[in-house]
Every structure is written in C-alpha cells, then in structure tokens.
Amino acid sequence: MATISIREAQRTILEKITPLDPEKVSLFHGLNRVTPDEHVAPWDIPPSDNSAMDGYAFSHDTLIGNRLRVNGFLPAGEIRTIPVSPGEAIRIMTGAPIPPACDTVLPMEEVEVEGDYIRLPASVRAGSHVRKRGEDIRQGNVVIDAGTLLRPQEIGMLSAMGITSLAVHRKVRIAILATGDELLEPGSTPAPGKIINSNSYTLAAQVLDAGGDPVLLGIAPDTLDATCAKIRAGLTADFMVITGGVSVGERDYVKMAIEKLGGTITFWKVDMKPGKPLAFALLDGKPVFALPGNPAAAMVSFELFVRPALLKAMGQRRVFRPVVKATLREPVVNKGSRPHLVRGIVSAENDRYHVFTTGNQSSGRLSSLIQGNGLIIVAPETSLPVGAEAEVMLLDRTFEMGRLDIPSLKV
Ligand code: AMP
Ligand code: MG
C-alpha cells in the first residue's frame, strides 16, 4: 500500500468532487452559501441624484449674489417635479432626490438662516454634497459573481437589487457511521470493556460547522454484514464518513464492506501523524471517507480531507483553513519520519500569533483537542526551539478569545 503526502491525498480527493445542484432559498437562507449565478444590477443604485446632507439644494449655475429665498421642503422618500427657480433654494433632507434645476447642496450648518432667506458662505463648490445616480452601482453591471460565498454584505446588496430568493448550492448531507463492538451511544454509563461513541458527535458537529447537514447512522458492530447494512442505509446521503475499522486488524471490515457493495476504494497510508490509514471510495458515485477510530486522528483527518471536499461540494472555492506563522512558546520536537500535526493553543497578542502545544499528543486523547484550536505543522526529524516561528493551521477563531479590552484600532 502506497504512502502518500497530505497534499497528494487532498488533491486526489478534491479532483473527484463537483458542486451539488443548486436549490432555491429565501434571501436570508442564502447566508454562508454559494450562489452559482451571476447577479446583475437591474437598476442604478442610487436610482437618482440625491442629497448627501440635510441642507439646502439650489442651482449653482444661476447663482447671483449669496442670498437665496427658501421655497419648499423635500423630505427623503418624496420627489419634487417643479423646478426650483433661480434665486431660490429648497430645504432638502438626506436621501431626497435632487429636484429639477438644482445641482448643489449646502449642509444646514454651512448657511445662515435669515427669515425666509439663507445666506451662503463666500465660496460654494458646484455639485457639492450630491450623490450621483448610479455612483454606487450601474444598471447592467455584474455586482455578484457566480461562485460567490454570500456574507451579510452580499445579502444586503442582493436585497437592494430587489431579490427575495435565489439559487445556492445545496447543503451536503453526510451520513456518519461509527464502527466497533466496544461502542455505546451517549446516555449510558460505559459497561466494562465499552466506551462511548464520541466520534459521531464530533464529526456531526464538524459537518454542521462547515455548513453541511449530518445524518447519524449509529454504530455498526464489527461484522461484515452489519457494516454492509449500515453503509447501504447511508447511501441516501450525498457523502459518507465512517470511523474505525479501517486498519488491518482482524475485525476491521470497513474496506471489505465498501468493496462488497461495489465501491472503488483507494486506500492510502497518508504521511501524517496523527492519522495515517485513510480509505477514500466512490460508492454509487458518492464519496465515502473511512477515517481512523482514534478520536484525535478522526477529527484531524476530517479537517484535512473531508472538510475541504464538503466545502467544494457546496460550491466554495476557498476550501482550506488559514495557515499562519506563530511564535513557539515551548520547544517542539518531531523525531519521527512523518510530518506531525501537533495540536496547539494559539493566541493573538501584540500583532502576532503565539502557540503552545496541548501537551500529550496521543491520538486517542480527545482532551488534547478540547484545549487546542490549531495544528502546528512540524516536519519530520525537526526540533524547533522556544521563540522559533512555526506554521500553524487555525481550526477556529478562538485565538481571539481572552481579549477583553477593545482592540486598539488606528482610527
Ligand atoms: P479502530 O480504528 O476501529 O481500531 O479504533 C481505534 C480506537 O479508536 C478504538 O480502540 C477506540 O478506542 C477508538 N474509537 C473507535 N471508534 C470510536 C468512536 N466512535 N468514538 C470514540 N472512540 C472510538
Ligand atoms: Mg474498531
């Protein structure tokens, strides 16, 4: 069996993934989803020249002297069709369309009011404080490209374009299967020889966090028939993730079951620690990931291989977690021949990332991930001293936590 690099495994998996069909959702449900369509502005935004200030609008062109008679009031939401005569101004509110024959606005605080008249300052710039029609967005322009991940600002922009529902790539439904005679579902106290199936819940939460839709298949006991039956039941989903039963032990039936059901299996040893055995298969055309059973290895393998595939299937283009440079706050040694993904605790202080390890790195220890929020990438046969810079993959944004003060912005 070939041993391949993390990158090679990721590339091979992602090559097989194509975005799922779109579905129509209401605008709000488009948040954090990807639209497959280009969105073109149906009209100019703003739709007309309008006032940027509460003040007075007039024609700069026909200005004689610096006194104007105030004739009329125009609040936002109304229009005035009668032109404002030379020698006159109209009181106008922010957002109100500039009336015909006007080209300039002066804010209230820049004029002196004298009864029905206003006195203008010595110099007035033509066209000031007017927001021009279409200066934000021009009718016919592509405002949102196909393949855009929709954030609050895109949702707001789409609403300004009159959109109330739109197509987005469907959420991936992922069936999650735990395997092992030793497993019990949560809700019971472990009997002798038994442990609780925590992987299914970690993975389901990882799926939710990535925007997918988990479907729990429960636990398959360690027999070929039971494993086949559970896998078959999961084929209604788009993807499947299985933990445990994927090594070379006597009771490891996952690969055998996938093959018996007609799946084409690619089984690798991935050059990494934690994790190593990873089976990837297409079964009925659906991606199936068989991950190691050890909790930390399962979680890290999901991060590296399943999450990017899931995001790609939901139309995302940026599918990898950010990798940043961080200063080591304790030495890290990798004596082995595989790259080591050391669970670390990252914090952002004084414009830099700092990182500690979570201590004991045994892949069975779920607790090492509870404290951790990043993976320190340590090359084989490498020892890094305190203060050295290391690459860290950020798994979430808790590195920002513990910061109770208001960050000092430069403005
Ligand atoms: P396996 O890959 O099936 O040999 O499993 C390796 C080890 O991972 C087992 O001995 C269990 O301790 C642990 N394990 C497997 N599946 C789970 C699970 N669903 N939840 C928690 N621990 C598990
Ligand atoms: Mg097992």
Side-chain angles (χ1 to χ4, degrees):
M1 183 177 61
T3 300
I4 66 172
S5 67
I6 293 172
R7 191 186 292 252
E8 229 177 308
Q10 286 172 329
R11 185 164 7 90
T12 313
I13 290 166
L14 287 175
E15 262 171 19
K16 298 275 195 310
I17 309 292
T18 46
L20 298 177
D21 297 336
E23 62 178 352
K24 195 113 173 171
V25 297
S26 67
L27 182 58
F28 275 139
H29 288 105
L31 184 66
N32 296 330
R33 312 274 295 269
V34 174
T35 173
D37 301 325
E38 193 171 85
H39 293 273
V40 171
W43 44 63
D44 286 332
I45 301 175
S48 60
D49 293 358
N50 67 92
S51 178
M53 300 295 278
D54 291 336
Y56 298 88
F58 52 91
S59 159
H60 187 275
D61 260 10
T62 58
L63 207 54
I64 304 165
N66 66 347
R67 263 178 114 234
L68 293 170
R69 197 171 82 83
V70 179
N71 181 8
F73 172 67
L74 188 59
E78 290 183 18
I79 56 167
R80 162 148 164 171
T81 49
I82 309 159
V84 175
S85 309
E88 288 188 343
I90 184 169
R91 193 155 148 65
I92 192 165
M93 298 293 103
T94 306
I98 304 294
C102 290
D103 55 19
T104 301
V105 170
L106 268 184
M108 289 166 62
E109 46 279 34
E110 287 182 25
V111 304
E112 267 175 58
V113 180
E114 296 168 351
D116 287 345
Y117 287 81
I118 52 168
R119 183 175 293 279
L120 310 182
S123 92
V124 177
R125 196 168 46 80
S128 62
H129 306 295
V130 172
R131 299 191 288 222
K132 302 298 279 181
R133 171 183 178 155
E135 74 173 24
D136 190 359
I137 308 269
R138 282 237 165 268
Q139 179 180 18
N141 280 7
V142 174
V143 185
I144 291 176
D145 287 318
T148 300
L149 177 66
L150 303 175
R151 302 167 300 165
Q153 50 270 55
E154 278 83 26
I155 298 292
M157 178 60 78
L158 288 162
S159 74
M161 289 158 61
I163 287 170
T164 57
S165 66
L166 79 169
V168 291
H169 287 290
R170 205 156 59 68
K171 288 186 175 204
V172 176
R173 291 185 78 230
I174 306 195
I176 296 171
L177 176 63
T179 68
D181 283 335
E182 75 277 32
L183 300 178
L184 292 175
E185 287 294 7
S188 40
T189 309
K194 306 284 182 187
I195 59 166
I196 305 253
N197 163 27
S198 58
N199 284 354
S200 292
Y201 301 88
T202 312
L203 293 166
Q206 287 181 285
V207 168
L208 285 170
D209 191 49
D213 193 3
V215 182
L216 293 177
L217 295 176
I219 300 163
D222 288 324
T223 67
L224 182 59
D225 284 351
T227 308
C228 283
K230 283 287 192 187
I231 293 176
R232 206 179 288 118
L235 285 176
T236 51
D238 305 302
F239 275 40
M240 195 177 317
V241 181
I242 306 170
T243 62
V246 77
S247 357
V248 289
E250 261 152 56
R251 299 231 171 139
D252 289 336
Y253 288 114
V254 169
K255 283 174 283 157
M256 219 186 281
I258 294 171
E259 271 166 355
K260 193 172 171 204
L261 293 170
T264 347
I265 203 161
T266 328
F267 183 49
W268 304 302
K269 277 188 183 150
V270 182
D271 200 19
M272 64 186 272
K273 190 179 161 197
K276 185 156 93 178
L278 177 78
F280 174 70
L282 287 178
L283 183 53
D284 275 6
K286 296 175 179 179
V288 177
F289 299 84
L291 310 183
N294 278 314
M299 186 175 177
V300 170
S301 301
F302 182 96
E303 274 295 333
L304 293 181
F305 306 111
V306 187
R307 190 175 197 275
L310 199 71
L311 295 181
K312 186 176 179 195
M314 292 188 290
Q316 296 204 31
R317 293 167 180 164
R318 301 177 69 173
V319 299
F320 295 110
R321 295 284 198 191
V323 175
V324 299
K325 292 222 179 343
T327 306
L328 281 173
R329 300 289 290 271
E330 64 178 272
V332 178
V333 179
N334 179 6
K335 291 194 187 123
S337 58
R338 290 184 273 165
H340 199 165
L341 303 169
V342 177
R343 276 86 82 201
I345 306 164
V346 186
S347 59
E349 294 155 41
N350 308 325
D351 296 338
R352 299 198 119 264
Y353 292 105
H354 298 260
V355 66
F356 289 94
T357 75
T358 58
N360 185 321
Q361 295 291 310
S362 156
S363 61
R365 292 182 76 237
L366 196 54
S367 61
S368 67
L369 284 159
I370 300 247
Q371 301 158 28
N373 56 4
L375 297 172
I376 311 169
I377 303 160
V378 190
E381 285 141 35
T382 301
S383 83
L384 299 168
V386 175
E389 217 170 48
E391 292 205 308
V392 180
M393 182 188 291
L394 300 174
L395 297 181
D396 59 47
R397 299 195 64 90
T398 54
F399 61 83
E400 292 163 331
M401 280 160 59
R403 181 171 202 163
L404 294 173
D405 56 325
I406 296 167
S408 53
L409 298 179
K410 304 271 182 308
V411 287

